[in-house]
Amino acid sequence: MSKMNELSQTVDELKTAANMLLSVADSLLDLFSGSGEISNEAIEPKKQPAATKEKLTLEMVRAVLAEKSRSGYTDEIKALLEKHGANKLSEIDPKKYKKLLEEVKVLGNE
């Protein structure tokens, strides 16, 4: 992965983390301002605004797969790619990225 791709991925991850922190801060503010009672709104996670629901990119998926591969799941990743009809990630239809990531994230959690 090129340095620019790594930098871009890192920036995207930082933005996502920042949005999550803002959401947590808002929840805490709601929780502790008011009557002091815990409401369902404070407990239930807020829906993320559309801006934080980013479209999965090849680079984002590649980063997750690379991390799992470094963790020793290279053969399993290759099998999942083949299951989705490809020999390499760039051959996967972007519409299948979400499903692929769901399958990859469970590796090691079984």
Side-chain angles (χ1 to χ4, degrees), residues 16-72:
T16 301
N19 286 327
M20 292 301 293
L21 285 172
L22 286 172
S23 177
V24 169
D26 288 341
S27 295
L28 287 172
L29 186 60
D30 290 343
L31 177 67
F32 292 109
S33 66
S35 65
E37 295 178 17
I38 299 176
S39 66
N40 286 338
E41 291 178 13
I43 296 172
E44 295 173 4
K46 293 183 179 180
K47 293 183 180 178
Q48 293 182 356
T52 61
K53 291 185 179 179
E54 299 174 11
K55 182 178 178 184
L56 290 173
T57 64
L58 176 66
E59 290 78 17
M60 296 166 94
V61 176
R62 181 173 283 138
V64 173
L65 269 60
E67 184 63 34
K68 284 292 186 176
S69 180
R70 284 190 290 272
S71 297

Side-chain angles (χ1 to χ4, degrees), residues 1-17 54 57-68 70:
M1 183 180 298
S2 75
K3 292 292 181 185
M4 288 306 294
N5 284 343
E6 288 180 29
L7 179 60
S8 176
Q9 175 190 344
T10 301
V11 169
D12 288 341
E13 290 172 357
L14 283 171
K15 287 180 181 179
T16 301
E54 299 174 11
T57 64
L58 176 66
E59 290 78 17
M60 296 166 94
V61 176
R62 181 173 283 138
V64 173
L65 269 60
E67 184 63 34
K68 284 292 186 176
R70 284 190 290 272

Side-chain angles (χ1 to χ4, degrees), residues 68 71 73 76 103-110:
K68 284 292 186 176
S71 297
Y73 297 100
E76 290 87 344
E103 294 172 343
V104 168
K105 286 185 179 183
V106 300
L107 294 176
N109 297 335
E110 300 167 338

